Amino acid sequence: QTTLTGDRTEFLGRDGAVGRPQALASGRPLSGSVGAGLDPCAALQTKLQLAPGATSEIVCFLGQASSAEAAQALVIKYRAANLEAVLAAVIAQWNETLGVLQISTPDRALDIMFNRWMPYQTLACRVWARSAFYQASGAYGFRDQLQDVLALCVARPDIARAHLLRAAGRQFVEGDVQHWWLSESGRGVRTRVSDDRSWLAYAIAHYVSVTGDTGVLDEPVPFLVGPILKEGQHDAFFQPSITTEQPSLFDHLALALDASLATGAHGLPLIGTGDWNDGMDAVGADGRGESIWLGWFLYGALTDCARLADQRFLPEKADAWRRHAALLQSSLDGTGWDGDWYLRAFFDDGSALGSAGDSQCRIDSIAQSWAVISGAGDPGRATRAMEALDRYLVRRDDRLVLLFEPPFDHPERDPGYIKGYPPGIRENGGQYTHAATWAALAFAKQGDGDRAGELLAMLNPIHHADTAAVISRYKVEPYVICADVYSQAPHIGRGGWTWYTGSAAWMYRVSLEAVLGFQLTGDMLRIDPCIAHDWPGFAIVFRHRSTTYNIVVDNPQNVCRGVVAIRLDDAVLPVAAPIMLVDDGTTHRLHVTLGAAR
């Protein structure tokens, strides 16, 4: 370049705009201004003279290095490189990962997001960068990246495996964990947040189920050592030390669950200073508050991990976890039921949160959806709870699926910092997309493919940008999943944080596993879809090692669920049995037919 500036005002002009920057109109050289204190941009100016019909290609490098010398070395390296080959290698790398699963459905917007954008967002932003426009962090969140990598268990199980071990290494000898930590130093925050431990167990069990990699359970992982939180101390940021002892990953899982079994007066798990919804950090700050949602989630983690204990010939451990799960189930359907839906939590003083009599946070989405997802809820009550979720939290005219309703606004009891958000913003009664995907998952598990598909379509950002009016309302990128969408005037339908949100991984998983019914377990595959009844079918191309499976699902009777016939190449397979996958370097055709049971 001949000149440059790092000052946006110089480039655009005081009254200028991107469509008519002053620097282009004036023709004057840029000043070379860079440094702190400016409204920052990068404007590089060069002059070209083109003959009639000629073309010229301009390449810009954008990056970051630890020093000016390292940055200059990268520039020199790539100036000398064959840039077409460099770009081709990057594209090939992404095609290798994103090409493991490709879908073709009647919902073109779902295909676009699923086949490229959702796995790209999960891997590039959530796992590798851990930073984005609205949250410049770089830290690992304990529960956050565990959920992200579960969306990679099919396409990149190596990345999922590595992160399970990384996360387990952030567990203290007492069983609790760093809620988030900085990878460069290992410094992080120790908290009383209650659900992190259960996410470790849940994630390990899911990874082993999908990949069949039981060997990961024997991998050695050290513990952290550091000061225990004092009474009344909610968190502490410090540099922990690492033990020389390296127990197995299963030992970390077992300790995480065993440290999560304390219950309160209602027989439910203690909520501590947050239980997925970090904003509810005052509900159980004194150590007595209880969580309905965590009860469902912990039930699922305990039952999943009991099966791992069985496989490792640890019957006492498996029995203990199943007994506690049964006690949780009894308490959840006893004190957790509010008459038409499930409560969200109990405060330290024993009063309920999420009850029909509440003027704020009257009904919370995740307490209803996980009654279904966990499999612990009474079927009749779970159905009523999901009907209530649909009635009060799904706003079809606004294309929103709310986290809870109504928002907090001067509440009688302090739920925590969540009340600091304006009503309808982020966790405070807006659409929190992460939770909304769980609602879709719950409907699919109930066999309601129409509502599951409808909710996923409502969450798809493409449908929030398909007209000029909708674009002006949504305001954020239409090709990434956003964390939240505002629900209150004058900002109804406006997107919040984008990119750096675990909603992308969950929307990917719900679409694949619950709606399309692609359920992989090691070298065995089940196809058990739950789709909208008006879908005539769909197709999946799945690359299993060196083998390609072209999967075609037909729905001639317009049902939501029900596999009545399976054919692999020329062989008819039993409907109830999983399909054994092979690695023979060829292409196989798997044909699945849906229909009503005879």
Side-chain angles (χ1 to χ4, degrees):
Q1 74 276 351
T2 53
T3 64
L4 61 91
T5 185
D7 185 353
R8 190 191 309 261
T9 302
E10 177 188 354
F11 179 69
L12 297 180
R14 190 176 72 173
D15 299 317
V18 174
R20 53 179 193 284
Q22 187 182 71
L24 290 183
S26 69
R28 292 192 297 268
L30 299 173
S31 67
S33 299
V34 294
L38 302 174
D39 184 8
C41 76
L44 310 178
Q45 185 180 49
T46 189
K47 292 184 178 181
L48 299 173
Q49 287 191 341
L50 297 180
T55 63
S56 181
E57 184 176 70
I58 300 173
V59 177
C60 297
F61 294 113
L62 177 64
Q64 178 178 318
S66 57
S67 66
E69 292 76 16
Q72 289 164 352
L74 286 173
V75 171
I76 292 169
K77 171 185 175 181
Y78 285 108
R79 275 181 176 165
N82 179 341
L83 295 180
E84 295 288 349
V86 171
L87 178 59
V90 172
I91 293 172
Q93 172 188 307
W94 279 111
N95 286 342
E96 178 69 18
T97 296
L98 305 182
V100 172
L101 282 162
Q102 292 282 290
I103 68 172
S104 177
T105 75
D107 185 347
R108 178 62 178 147
L110 173 62
D111 297 350
I112 292 170
M113 293 301 301
F114 182 96
N115 289 336
R116 305 291 293 190
W117 283 107
M118 286 192 286
Y120 176 84
Q121 178 179 347
T122 298
L123 182 52
C125 183
R126 293 288 296 174
V127 178
W128 286 343
R130 300 185 306 282
S131 186
F133 301 137
Y134 303 106
Q135 187 178 21
S137 170
Y140 283 102
F142 194 87
R143 75 162 78 92
D144 303 319
Q145 273 70 47
L146 279 172
Q147 294 173 80
D148 293 324
V149 299
L150 296 186
L152 305 173
C153 286
V154 177
R156 291 297 304 269
D158 57 318
I159 292 176
R161 188 185 207 270
H163 187 69
L164 292 179
L165 300 174
R166 181 185 298 116
R170 311 318 298 175
Q171 183 181 31
F172 291 98
V173 293
E174 292 82 8
D176 61 321
V177 302
Q178 286 180 317
H179 188 56
W180 57 261
W181 75 93
L182 300 166
S183 58
E184 294 81 5
S185 65
R187 291 169 66 86
V189 62
R190 191 172 197 172
T191 71
R192 299 188 188 277
V193 173
S194 58
D195 66 316
D196 286 329
R197 302 180 296 265
S198 300
W199 280 112
L200 178 64
Y202 168 86
I204 293 171
H206 181 79
Y207 167 83
V208 171
S209 174
V210 172
T211 65
D213 175 18
T214 57
V216 73
L217 299 173
D218 296 312
E219 290 285 350
V221 183
F223 284 115
L224 299 181
V225 177
I228 297 174
L229 296 177
K230 300 179 177 63
E231 186 175 353
Q233 184 182 17
H234 291 170
D235 55 64
F237 178 74
F238 60 87
Q239 174 85 54
S241 58
I242 300 174
T243 63
T244 55
E245 173 196 8
Q246 296 194 37
S248 71
L249 181 64
F250 183 84
D251 291 332
H252 282 263
L253 174 157
L255 177 61
L257 287 178
D258 290 342
S260 304
L261 303 183
T263 57
H266 298 89
L268 299 169
L270 300 176
I271 191 172
T273 54
D275 68 344
W276 175 81
N277 193 332
D278 290 328
M280 292 184 176
D281 60 338
V283 173
D286 293 338
R288 298 185 301 278
E290 299 163 273
S291 169
I292 302 294
W293 171 80
L294 184 56
W296 300 125
F297 182 65
L298 180 57
Y299 173 94
L302 287 166
T303 51
D304 288 347
C305 293
R307 287 190 287 271
L308 294 181
D310 288 335
Q311 295 167 14
R312 296 175 71 83
F313 304 105
L314 298 170
E316 292 183 0
K317 183 65 69 178
D319 289 346
W321 288 343
R322 288 191 176 102
R323 285 196 301 271
H324 191 79
L327 293 174
L328 288 178
Q329 185 176 27
S330 176
S331 297
L332 287 162
D333 259 323
T335 58
W337 181 246
D338 193 50
D340 212 23
W341 58 79
Y342 289 100
L343 300 169
R344 176 62 178 85
F346 289 99
F347 286 91
D348 283 315
D349 65 2
S351 57
L353 174 64
S355 171
D358 289 337
S359 61
Q360 298 168 40
C361 190
R362 184 169 175 259
I363 177 172
D364 189 291
S365 169
I366 66 174
Q368 321 315 320
S369 59
W370 275 88
V372 177
I373 297 168
S374 67
D378 172 83
R381 287 181 171 181
T383 297
R384 289 177 63 183
M386 290 304 296
E387 291 295 336
L389 183 156
D390 184 79
R391 186 164 59 251
Y392 295 113
L393 300 179
V394 179
R395 285 175 25 186
R396 289 172 172 82
D397 291 344
D398 295 324
R399 303 184 187 181
L400 294 174
V401 184
L402 305 184
L403 178 58
F404 61 77
E405 173 71 14
F408 290 113
D409 190 13
H410 307 294
E412 295 179 7
R413 294 180 181 84
D414 181 11
Y417 77 76
I418 189 172
K419 70 181 185 301
Y421 292 119
I425 304 298
R426 291 188 59 75
E427 292 101 320
N428 191 12
Q431 173 183 292
Y432 214 72
T433 310
H434 193 151
T437 65
W438 290 344
L441 174 58
F443 280 125
K445 281 186 170 291
Q446 289 183 321
D448 192 340
D450 291 321
R451 279 195 281 195
E454 179 191 21
L455 262 58
L456 289 179
M458 290 170 64
L459 303 180
N460 193 314
I462 292 176
H463 295 311
H464 290 262
D466 47 12
T467 68
V470 172
I471 289 170
S472 67
R473 180 180 74 167
Y474 191 54
K475 297 185 184 297
V476 294
E477 304 92 327
Y479 46 84
V480 290
I481 309 300
C482 66
D484 56 300
V485 183
Y486 305 162
S487 67
Q488 299 291 310
H491 303 299
I492 294 174
R494 178 169 180 169
W497 285 11
T498 59
W499 281 104
Y500 196 28
T501 161
S503 304
W506 271 107
M507 191 162 174
Y508 185 86
R509 283 190 58 198
V510 173
S511 301
L512 178 67
E513 299 168 16
V515 173
L516 302 184
F518 183 97
Q519 298 164 13
L520 185 66
T521 304
D523 288 328
M524 295 185 295
L525 176 65
R526 290 183 183 272
I527 302 294
D528 183 17
C530 183
I531 58 177
H533 78 278
D534 59 357
W535 274 23
F538 62 90
I540 303 174
V541 178
F542 169 46
R543 190 178 71 239
H544 176 67
R545 303 189 182 99
S546 67
T547 302
T548 298
Y549 284 86
N550 290 326
I551 303 168
V552 176
V553 177
D554 284 331
N555 186 22
Q557 296 183 32
N558 300 112
V559 299
C560 287
R561 166 170 281 171
V563 175
V564 295
I566 301 176
R567 179 181 291 273
L568 178 62
D569 297 327
D570 294 325
V572 176
L573 302 182
V575 170
I579 300 134
M580 181 63 68
L581 302 175
V582 296
D583 183 17
D584 60 7
T586 63
T587 298
H588 296 275
R589 177 179 172 84
L590 179 63
H591 187 262
V592 178
T593 303
L594 305 182
R598 295 178 180 177

PDB file of all heavy atoms in Angstrom, residues 400-416:
ATOM      1  N   LEU A 400     -40.713 -15.925  18.160  1.00  0.00           N
ATOM      2  CA  LEU A 400     -39.908 -15.988  19.375  1.00  0.00           C
ATOM      3  C   LEU A 400     -40.306 -17.198  20.221  1.00  0.00           C
ATOM      4  O   LEU A 400     -41.480 -17.570  20.272  1.00  0.00           O
ATOM      5  CB  LEU A 400     -40.096 -14.714  20.214  1.00  0.00           C
ATOM      6  CG  LEU A 400     -39.598 -13.399  19.624  1.00  0.00           C
ATOM      7  CD1 LEU A 400     -40.002 -12.239  20.529  1.00  0.00           C
ATOM      8  CD2 LEU A 400     -38.096 -13.431  19.438  1.00  0.00           C
ATOM      9  N   VAL A 401     -39.321 -17.771  20.893  1.00  0.00           N
ATOM     10  CA  VAL A 401     -39.546 -18.827  21.881  1.00  0.00           C
ATOM     11  C   VAL A 401     -38.876 -18.360  23.165  1.00  0.00           C
ATOM     12  O   VAL A 401     -37.649 -18.405  23.292  1.00  0.00           O
ATOM     13  CB  VAL A 401     -38.959 -20.177  21.420  1.00  0.00           C
ATOM     14  CG1 VAL A 401     -39.305 -21.269  22.424  1.00  0.00           C
ATOM     15  CG2 VAL A 401     -39.450 -20.535  20.027  1.00  0.00           C
ATOM     16  N   LEU A 402     -39.660 -17.882  24.123  1.00  0.00           N
ATOM     17  CA  LEU A 402     -39.130 -17.182  25.285  1.00  0.00           C
ATOM     18  C   LEU A 402     -38.532 -18.141  26.311  1.00  0.00           C
ATOM     19  O   LEU A 402     -38.957 -19.295  26.432  1.00  0.00           O
ATOM     20  CB  LEU A 402     -40.224 -16.356  25.950  1.00  0.00           C
ATOM     21  CG  LEU A 402     -40.965 -15.356  25.047  1.00  0.00           C
ATOM     22  CD1 LEU A 402     -41.941 -14.543  25.877  1.00  0.00           C
ATOM     23  CD2 LEU A 402     -39.991 -14.448  24.312  1.00  0.00           C
ATOM     24  N   LEU A 403     -37.566 -17.615  27.089  1.00  0.00           N
ATOM     25  CA  LEU A 403     -36.973 -18.393  28.176  1.00  0.00           C
ATOM     26  C   LEU A 403     -37.935 -18.491  29.351  1.00  0.00           C
ATOM     27  O   LEU A 403     -38.127 -19.562  29.928  1.00  0.00           O
ATOM     28  CB  LEU A 403     -35.655 -17.753  28.617  1.00  0.00           C
ATOM     29  CG  LEU A 403     -34.940 -18.425  29.791  1.00  0.00           C
ATOM     30  CD1 LEU A 403     -34.644 -19.882  29.489  1.00  0.00           C
ATOM     31  CD2 LEU A 403     -33.661 -17.674  30.139  1.00  0.00           C
ATOM     32  N   PHE A 404     -38.526 -17.390  29.731  1.00  0.00           N
ATOM     33  CA  PHE A 404     -39.592 -17.402  30.735  1.00  0.00           C
ATOM     34  C   PHE A 404     -40.439 -16.162  30.552  1.00  0.00           C
ATOM     35  O   PHE A 404     -40.090 -15.248  29.802  1.00  0.00           O
ATOM     36  CB  PHE A 404     -39.046 -17.511  32.170  1.00  0.00           C
ATOM     37  CG  PHE A 404     -38.144 -16.390  32.599  1.00  0.00           C
ATOM     38  CD1 PHE A 404     -38.643 -15.140  32.951  1.00  0.00           C
ATOM     39  CD2 PHE A 404     -36.775 -16.581  32.695  1.00  0.00           C
ATOM     40  CE1 PHE A 404     -37.817 -14.108  33.367  1.00  0.00           C
ATOM     41  CE2 PHE A 404     -35.931 -15.557  33.104  1.00  0.00           C
ATOM     42  CZ  PHE A 404     -36.456 -14.320  33.435  1.00  0.00           C
ATOM     43  N   GLU A 405     -41.559 -16.130  31.239  1.00  0.00           N
ATOM     44  CA  GLU A 405     -42.519 -15.040  31.090  1.00  0.00           C
ATOM     45  C   GLU A 405     -43.293 -14.892  32.394  1.00  0.00           C
ATOM     46  O   GLU A 405     -43.660 -15.913  33.004  1.00  0.00           O
ATOM     47  CB  GLU A 405     -43.467 -15.361  29.920  1.00  0.00           C
ATOM     48  CG  GLU A 405     -44.630 -14.443  29.704  1.00  0.00           C
ATOM     49  CD  GLU A 405     -44.240 -13.084  29.164  1.00  0.00           C
ATOM     50  OE1 GLU A 405     -43.070 -12.947  28.714  1.00  0.00           O
ATOM     51  OE2 GLU A 405     -45.082 -12.182  29.220  1.00  0.00           O
ATOM     52  N   PRO A 406     -43.581 -13.694  32.859  1.00  0.00           N
ATOM     53  CA  PRO A 406     -43.082 -12.401  32.406  1.00  0.00           C
ATOM     54  C   PRO A 406     -41.647 -12.151  32.902  1.00  0.00           C
ATOM     55  O   PRO A 406     -41.172 -12.831  33.820  1.00  0.00           O
ATOM     56  CB  PRO A 406     -44.052 -11.411  33.073  1.00  0.00           C
ATOM     57  CG  PRO A 406     -45.203 -12.221  33.567  1.00  0.00           C
ATOM     58  CD  PRO A 406     -44.625 -13.569  33.889  1.00  0.00           C
ATOM     59  N   PRO A 407     -40.972 -11.144  32.336  1.00  0.00           N
ATOM     60  CA  PRO A 407     -39.610 -10.831  32.770  1.00  0.00           C
ATOM     61  C   PRO A 407     -39.587 -10.267  34.189  1.00  0.00           C
ATOM     62  O   PRO A 407     -40.606  -9.812  34.719  1.00  0.00           O
ATOM     63  CB  PRO A 407     -39.145  -9.770  31.756  1.00  0.00           C
ATOM     64  CG  PRO A 407     -40.119  -9.823  30.633  1.00  0.00           C
ATOM     65  CD  PRO A 407     -41.412 -10.312  31.211  1.00  0.00           C
ATOM     66  N   PHE A 408     -38.406 -10.295  34.805  1.00  0.00           N
ATOM     67  CA  PHE A 408     -38.232  -9.651  36.108  1.00  0.00           C
ATOM     68  C   PHE A 408     -38.208  -8.132  35.938  1.00  0.00           C
ATOM     69  O   PHE A 408     -37.523  -7.599  35.060  1.00  0.00           O
ATOM     70  CB  PHE A 408     -36.924 -10.096  36.759  1.00  0.00           C
ATOM     71  CG  PHE A 408     -36.935 -11.534  37.214  1.00  0.00           C
ATOM     72  CD1 PHE A 408     -36.124 -12.479  36.599  1.00  0.00           C
ATOM     73  CD2 PHE A 408     -37.745 -11.928  38.274  1.00  0.00           C
ATOM     74  CE1 PHE A 408     -36.123 -13.796  37.024  1.00  0.00           C
ATOM     75  CE2 PHE A 408     -37.755 -13.248  38.711  1.00  0.00           C
ATOM     76  CZ  PHE A 408     -36.943 -14.189  38.081  1.00  0.00           C
ATOM     77  N   ASP A 409     -38.953  -7.461  36.777  1.00  0.00           N
ATOM     78  CA  ASP A 409     -38.961  -5.997  36.803  1.00  0.00           C
ATOM     79  C   ASP A 409     -39.380  -5.590  38.217  1.00  0.00           C
ATOM     80  O   ASP A 409     -40.549  -5.635  38.558  1.00  0.00           O
ATOM     81  CB  ASP A 409     -39.939  -5.454  35.762  1.00  0.00           C
ATOM     82  CG  ASP A 409     -39.805  -3.956  35.567  1.00  0.00           C
ATOM     83  OD1 ASP A 409     -38.803  -3.387  36.039  1.00  0.00           O
ATOM     84  OD2 ASP A 409     -40.705  -3.367  34.942  1.00  0.00           O
ATOM     85  N   HIS A 410     -38.409  -5.243  39.054  1.00  0.00           N
ATOM     86  CA  HIS A 410     -38.628  -4.946  40.471  1.00  0.00           C
ATOM     87  C   HIS A 410     -39.261  -6.137  41.193  1.00  0.00           C
ATOM     88  O   HIS A 410     -40.357  -6.033  41.774  1.00  0.00           O
ATOM     89  CB  HIS A 410     -39.512  -3.704  40.646  1.00  0.00           C
ATOM     90  CG  HIS A 410     -39.009  -2.506  39.903  1.00  0.00           C
ATOM     91  ND1 HIS A 410     -37.814  -1.876  40.219  1.00  0.00           N
ATOM     92  CD2 HIS A 410     -39.511  -1.843  38.827  1.00  0.00           C
ATOM     93  CE1 HIS A 410     -37.621  -0.871  39.388  1.00  0.00           C
ATOM     94  NE2 HIS A 410     -38.628  -0.816  38.538  1.00  0.00           N
ATOM     95  N   PRO A 411     -38.613  -7.302  41.166  1.00  0.00           N
ATOM     96  CA  PRO A 411     -39.195  -8.495  41.800  1.00  0.00           C
ATOM     97  C   PRO A 411     -39.221  -8.376  43.321  1.00  0.00           C
ATOM     98  O   PRO A 411     -38.421  -7.660  43.927  1.00  0.00           O
ATOM     99  CB  PRO A 411     -38.240  -9.614  41.350  1.00  0.00           C
ATOM    100  CG  PRO A 411     -36.935  -8.925  41.110  1.00  0.00           C
ATOM    101  CD  PRO A 411     -37.289  -7.573  40.569  1.00  0.00           C
ATOM    102  N   GLU A 412     -40.163  -9.115  43.933  1.00  0.00           N
ATOM    103  CA  GLU A 412     -40.267  -9.114  45.391  1.00  0.00           C
ATOM    104  C   GLU A 412     -39.053  -9.778  46.027  1.00  0.00           C
ATOM    105  O   GLU A 412     -38.564  -9.338  47.058  1.00  0.00           O
ATOM    106  CB  GLU A 412     -41.551  -9.848  45.822  1.00  0.00           C
ATOM    107  CG  GLU A 412     -42.835  -9.151  45.395  1.00  0.00           C
ATOM    108  CD  GLU A 412     -44.064  -9.933  45.833  1.00  0.00           C
ATOM    109  OE1 GLU A 412     -43.898 -10.941  46.575  1.00  0.00           O
ATOM    110  OE2 GLU A 412     -45.186  -9.552  45.448  1.00  0.00           O
ATOM    111  N   ARG A 413     -38.574 -10.865  45.440  1.00  0.00           N
ATOM    112  CA  ARG A 413     -37.384 -11.560  45.930  1.00  0.00           C
ATOM    113  C   ARG A 413     -36.283 -11.412  44.886  1.00  0.00           C
ATOM    114  O   ARG A 413     -36.544 -11.476  43.695  1.00  0.00           O
ATOM    115  CB  ARG A 413     -37.671 -13.045  46.197  1.00  0.00           C
ATOM    116  CG  ARG A 413     -38.649 -13.281  47.325  1.00  0.00           C
ATOM    117  CD  ARG A 413     -38.891 -14.783  47.524  1.00  0.00           C
ATOM    118  NE  ARG A 413     -39.850 -15.036  48.599  1.00  0.00           N
ATOM    119  CZ  ARG A 413     -41.163 -15.019  48.431  1.00  0.00           C
ATOM    120  NH1 ARG A 413     -41.673 -14.767  47.232  1.00  0.00           N
ATOM    121  NH2 ARG A 413     -41.974 -15.258  49.447  1.00  0.00           N
ATOM    122  N   ASP A 414     -35.072 -11.281  45.351  1.00  0.00           N
ATOM    123  CA  ASP A 414     -33.951 -11.036  44.459  1.00  0.00           C
ATOM    124  C   ASP A 414     -33.498 -12.340  43.806  1.00  0.00           C
ATOM    125  O   ASP A 414     -32.955 -13.217  44.477  1.00  0.00           O
ATOM    126  CB  ASP A 414     -32.795 -10.423  45.259  1.00  0.00           C
ATOM    127  CG  ASP A 414     -31.595 -10.109  44.383  1.00  0.00           C
ATOM    128  OD1 ASP A 414     -31.724 -10.175  43.143  1.00  0.00           O
ATOM    129  OD2 ASP A 414     -30.530  -9.783  44.948  1.00  0.00           O
ATOM    130  N   PRO A 415     -33.689 -12.492  42.476  1.00  0.00           N
ATOM    131  CA  PRO A 415     -33.218 -13.715  41.823  1.00  0.00           C
ATOM    132  C   PRO A 415     -31.738 -13.649  41.449  1.00  0.00           C
ATOM    133  O   PRO A 415     -31.144 -14.672  41.117  1.00  0.00           O
ATOM    134  CB  PRO A 415     -34.086 -13.776  40.564  1.00  0.00           C
ATOM    135  CG  PRO A 415     -34.327 -12.330  40.234  1.00  0.00           C
ATOM    136  CD  PRO A 415     -34.418 -11.604  41.562  1.00  0.00           C
ATOM    137  N   GLY A 416     -31.160 -12.439  41.449  1.00  0.00           N
ATOM    138  CA  GLY A 416     -29.761 -12.303  41.086  1.00  0.00           C
ATOM    139  C   GLY A 416     -29.558 -11.225  40.040  1.00  0.00           C
ATOM    140  O   GLY A 416     -30.439 -10.389  39.788  1.00  0.00           O
TER     141      GLY A 416
END
